Amino acid sequence: MITVSGIPFQQSGQLPLSSIERVIIQGMQNDSVVYSFQSIDELSFELKLRKNIVESAREMDQGDSHFEPFEESYCNPGYWNLTIAGGFQLKKGVKPSEAILDIYRNSSLYAFECATAMIIIYYHATLKSIGENVFNQLFQNIYLYSWHFDPDLGIHTIHTEQFLPGDVVYFNNPDVDPDTSWWRGENAVVLEDGTFFGHGLGIRTAWHMIQLLNEKRKQGSIRSAFLTNSVTRPTFKHLAHITHIPQRAPVHKLQYIVIHHNESSISCSRYLKYLMTYR
């Protein structure tokens, strides 16, 4: 169910929708959870950002970036410094927007694991949603490593079995072969047609994702990989509000500590547990 200013929302042409946005609206309306918005603009922003997350995921799938664990990661040195941990630190003097766009424009120069891929997709989709000027003001200290994120993205996880396009879900592989530990799971974007995009596995159905992960289990395992009920999302409302604040002199923003865990392909909920341990 959707409410706007406390009133049940009824689509009557007042909000022009793309085909992806119509699927998102239908998913919200069919959910037992109430999606409440203060205004049509707030609802419109979430629809736009979710649509852009889906489109950014599909664009990454069509690119040439490789899946690699942290120790084998690489990036374009014209925009990023590769850290010893396998992270990408934005170079001084480089616009954040240009660095994120370069990952898509020159994708063959990049390799990263699937959690980092999700953060790249979030930044790329947010850039398309808010424009370069606001993006460059908000995200001046981008560091790409696993699920590390800028506080203004407001990334969080919830437990639900109802997925919407633009959500990120996690396929867990509990009996992963220790020799290929980077297949311990797969972070994947929910697409509008019910399929999922996971960096390294591409666009697949849930059944196919699970079968591919099952091929990476240790010998003798009888436990199947499975789709968890952990859903990761940015805080859409915060982004909608902060991007409409009149531009002013940048304010120093405290960044989250980076947890260099060296465990490729972990879930966001696992990373957040690590983060809470050190806060």
Side-chain angles (χ1 to χ4, degrees):
M1 180 180 177
I2 303 172
T3 64
V4 178
S5 300
I7 301 172
F9 173 76
Q10 296 293 331
Q11 171 62 12
S12 58
Q14 60 177 319
L15 189 62
L17 300 174
S18 67
S19 59
I20 296 175
E21 290 169 329
R22 284 194 292 270
V23 174
I24 298 167
I25 282 282
Q26 193 60 53
M28 289 179 173
Q29 294 284 38
N30 293 340
D31 201 331
S32 58
V33 173
V34 176
Y35 291 84
S36 60
F37 301 90
Q38 295 180 3
S39 65
I40 287 291
D41 286 345
E42 193 176 84
L43 169 59
S44 179
F45 181 86
E46 178 164 339
L47 294 175
K48 177 171 67 173
L49 182 49
R50 283 185 174 276
K51 173 182 71 70
N52 286 336
I53 291 170
V54 169
E55 292 179 347
S56 292
R58 290 190 178 277
E59 287 182 53
M60 183 174 287
D61 178 63
Q62 294 167 5
D64 297 315
S65 59
H66 294 171
F67 175 93
E68 294 288 353
F70 293 116
E71 57 267 26
E72 302 296 334
S73 295
Y74 54 85
C75 55
N76 185 347
Y79 292 86
W80 306 92
N81 291 318
L82 179 65
T83 69
I84 192 171
F88 305 162
Q89 180 69 63
L90 183 69
K91 295 191 75 167
K92 289 185 178 180
V94 172
K95 290 183 178 180
S97 59
E98 288 300 316
I100 292 296
L101 289 173
D102 187 71
I103 300 175
Y104 284 78
R105 290 170 176 166
N106 295 298
S107 56
S108 63
L109 301 180
Y110 292 85
F112 40 83
E113 50 79 65
C114 70
T116 305
M118 299 300 104
I119 294 295
I120 292 169
I121 288 169
Y122 279 148
Y123 279 127
H124 189 248
T126 301
L127 170 58
K128 291 192 291 184
S129 300
I130 68 177
E132 291 187 11
N133 290 337
V134 178
F135 185 89
N136 289 336
Q137 184 183 41
L138 286 178
F139 304 115
Q140 298 178 18
N141 298 291
I142 294 178
Y143 178 57
L144 301 174
Y145 177 88
S146 185
W147 277 105
H148 176 70
F149 59 93
D150 185 282
D152 278 323
L153 284 180
I155 293 175
H156 61 285
T157 61
I158 63 170
H159 294 290
T160 178
E161 295 181 355
Q162 301 295 321
F163 310 143
L164 295 174
D167 283 341
V168 170
V169 297
Y170 188 70
F171 292 85
N172 189 22
N173 191 13
D175 281 349
V176 64
D177 184 337
D179 291 334
T180 56
S181 60
W182 48 89
W183 292 117
R184 61 173 45 88
E186 181 77 352
N187 293 285
V189 176
V190 180
L191 305 181
E192 79 284 0
D193 59 0
T195 60
F196 304 83
F197 167 72
H199 184 55
L201 295 183
I203 295 177
R204 310 283 183 176
T205 63
W207 180 89
H208 203 178
M209 287 279 190
I210 290 168
Q211 296 309 307
L212 290 172
L213 289 175
N214 281 342
E215 295 174 3
K216 308 298 182 181
R217 290 180 295 177
K218 59 188 177 184
Q219 188 173 3
S221 169
I222 59 173
R223 286 197 299 174
S224 174
F226 61 94
L227 174 59
T228 71
N229 64 353
S230 179
V231 173
T232 299
R233 297 166 174 166
T235 303
F236 297 102
K237 291 181 175 61
H238 173 73
L239 284 168
H241 292 163
I242 199 170
T243 54
H244 284 89
I245 296 175
Q247 300 300 294
R248 52 177 179 263
V251 177
H252 177 69
K253 177 169 50 176
L254 291 176
Q255 298 290 328
Y256 296 132
I257 188 172
V258 183
I259 308 299
H260 289 117
H261 49 74
N262 197 33
E263 298 173 318
S264 296
S265 307
I266 68 169
S267 67
C268 184
S269 59
R270 184 165 172 174
Y271 184 84
L272 291 175
K273 287 180 182 177
Y274 291 161
L275 183 61
M276 292 302 295
T277 300
Y278 285 89
R279 291 180 68 180

